[in-house]
Amino acid sequence: VQLQASGGGLVQAGGSLRLSCAASGRTFSSYDMGWFRQAPGKEREFVAAVNWRGDSRYYVDSAKGRFTISRDNAKNTVYLQMNSLKPEDTAVYYCAARYRGSGSYYRFANGNEYDYWGQGTLVTVSS
């Protein structure tokens, strides 16, 4: 699976962005999809994930109520709608894919469970 993330940019605190991740190469609808981020000087962290059917979603606590992950299997694309952005959301955001697996939050949130990664898109939130 090849993943291409886009949609990052500079936004003021309180603003919104929608990230997209376009997939190609294999059957997108068979893959769980996740978003991770890495801020400067920090480790990569889980943000959100959606299972291959699109009926289960998982979020890190800091994203709940502000971010929404969704997928369009007809377009081979997963989205991350980010609202009420904060300066601490500043990071490079990566999408990732893994062949459909179990429904444990901890497995969806574990980057080591994912086999394919996009190149990342930078989100900068100014205060």
Side-chain angles (χ1 to χ4, degrees), residues 17-93:
L17 282 176
R18 188 177 79 156
L19 306 183
S20 299
C21 177
S24 61
R26 290 187 183 266
T27 307
F28 175 75
S29 59
S30 295
Y31 285 79
D32 301 324
M33 299 298 297
W35 285 98
F36 293 76
R37 66 187 179 187
Q38 188 166 21
K42 295 187 177 181
E43 294 186 352
R44 182 183 65 198
E45 69 167 345
F46 169 74
V47 178
V50 60
N51 71 339
W52 60 282
R53 289 188 299 268
D55 58 3
S56 293
R57 297 173 176 82
Y58 306 87
Y59 299 93
V60 68
D61 285 347
S62 61
K64 290 178 181 177
R66 299 189 300 127
F67 294 4
T68 302
I69 189 170
S70 62
R71 66 188 298 158
D72 185 338
N73 287 345
K75 296 182 177 180
N76 288 359
T77 302
V78 63
Y79 304 98
L80 185 68
Q81 177 67 43
M82 305 187 294
N83 299 327
S84 302
L85 283 161
K86 305 175 181 180
E88 51 264 44
D89 294 318
T90 295
V92 177
Y93 284 70

